[in-house]
Amino acid sequence: MKTINNTKIIGIDHGYGNMKTANYCFKTGIVAYDFEPLFTKDMLVYDSRYYLIGEGHKAYAAEKMLDEEYYVLTLAAIAMELHKENITDATVHIAAGLPLTWVSKQKEKFKTYLLKNEEVNFTFRKTDYHIKIVGADVFPQGFSAIAETAASFKGVNLLCDIGNGTMNLLYIRNGRPDSLRMYTEKFGTEQCVNAIKNAVMDKFQVVIDSGIIEEFLATGKADISKEYLKVLKATAADYVAEIFRRLKDHEYNPNLMQLYVVGGGGCLIRNFGRYDKSRVTVNEDISATAKGYEYLSERYLKKDGERL
């Protein structure tokens, strides 16, 4: 979170698997109730409804403005950042983003969605918040994660942002993004999770819990028997091999360019990929994109103070 003229700039990475801010990461899950639920640890109360944050799994949607859920998740993300500074009443400027090839088409609709209420009162984790939302910026996902250091990139670089729902690719030449060579594919880590579930079902005729798979993909380890672990490793390795195959479809050549991987899916490359570590960089900071949104918003707002 950054501050300009008493306005809090809060970067939020609205992922399909996880919501990320500069300091927090929580699952993109939400369950709504018309009455107060039994368990209320991560409950958000807004507009006379009760929401459990981080519960369930939000289905993939090409547009994030189709329902109220991402808006409520945005409020939870803002509350977490404000709570870190012991603030409950604030003026907020949201810094967010969308997949590379979707920004131009969806940017204005997403801004309108985030700005639909100028003032919002809600309760999160039994703390009351009052916020005034005075602005929002929407940036290209992925590039934001390296925006502050992009100028130092020499030669040809391929940026690969692997999220839960999508994989975004962007070529960067001598620190400058090439807008004619950027791509978005629906090939995120969720596809790997599903592939592992299917492989375990085919091999053992049992359903494996998603939590086991997610922990395994993040760490490369799991407290399961060797025969199951072997299937998980083989399937994850096949998935990563498919990532590199798709990169080559977009003219990736490890001998001619550097590969820079960001996003939660970077752990799959690190744990299960076969590559030249001198030519591939994996950014392990899952909040890098949210921090990049804040950096870009702060830079733009300082250039045009009237936007605040």
Side-chain angles (χ1 to χ4, degrees), residues 84-218:
K84 188 174 187 298
E85 303 295 331
N86 296 314
I87 299 170
T88 59
D89 192 320
T91 300
V92 173
H93 183 99
I94 299 173
L98 289 168
L100 286 168
T101 59
W102 301 356
V103 175
S104 296
K105 182 179 179 180
Q106 298 184 17
K107 177 179 179 179
E108 291 306 317
K109 287 195 293 184
F110 196 37
K111 285 181 64 174
T112 299
Y113 176 79
L114 296 172
L115 294 171
K116 62 182 178 179
N117 296 312
E118 182 177 350
E119 294 195 39
V120 188
N121 293 295
F122 64 97
T123 302
F124 183 56
R125 294 175 177 167
K126 302 187 184 302
T127 299
D128 295 331
Y129 291 89
H130 173 259
I131 61 173
K132 184 177 181 181
I133 303 176
V134 295
D137 290 314
V138 179
F139 301 106
Q141 206 170 287
F143 178 74
S144 300
I146 56 108
E148 194 167 0
T149 58
S152 65
F153 283 35
K154 304 301 179 184
V156 178
N157 293 263
L158 175 57
L159 174 67
C160 177
D161 176 16
I162 306 172
N164 188 71
T166 60
M167 178 172 73
N168 291 276
L169 307 176
L170 173 66
Y171 276 91
I172 301 171
R173 300 177 183 276
N174 293 319
R176 297 177 62 85
D178 186 343
S179 61
L180 298 179
R181 299 185 72 189
M182 58 183 185
Y183 316 93
T184 297
E185 293 200 21
K186 189 179 183 298
F187 193 68
T189 58
E190 184 177 12
Q191 281 73 28
C192 184
V193 171
N194 290 335
I196 290 175
K197 284 184 175 181
N198 291 335
V200 170
M201 175 59 75
D202 291 344
K203 179 75 173 178
F204 304 105
Q205 292 76 55
V206 299
V207 177
I208 183 171
D209 187 270
S210 296
I212 295 175
I213 301 174
E214 291 166 1
E215 179 69 18
F216 169 74
L217 296 179

Side-chain angles (χ1 to χ4, degrees), residues 63-78:
E63 293 193 12
K64 298 178 179 179
M65 304 77 71
L66 299 179
D67 56 39
E68 190 86 340
E69 293 185 350
Y70 268 112
Y71 186 81
V72 177
L73 290 166
T74 298
L75 297 181
I78 291 171

Side-chain angles (χ1 to χ4, degrees), residues 249-279:
D249 286 346
H250 293 291
E251 301 181 336
Y252 167 62
N253 186 328
N255 297 311
L256 299 177
M257 60 193 68
Q258 293 278 341
L259 177 65
Y260 197 96
V261 184
V262 300
C267 60
L268 276 73
I269 302 291
R270 184 185 67 245
N271 293 328
F272 309 106
R274 299 179 63 183
Y275 57 91
D276 182 350
K277 293 183 179 180
S278 70
R279 304 198 60 75

Side-chain angles (χ1 to χ4, degrees), residues 228-244:
Y228 281 87
L229 193 61
K230 183 177 180 180
V231 173
L232 267 64
K233 287 182 176 179
T235 309
D238 287 344
Y239 171 83
V240 173
E242 176 64 13
I243 288 177
F244 280 100

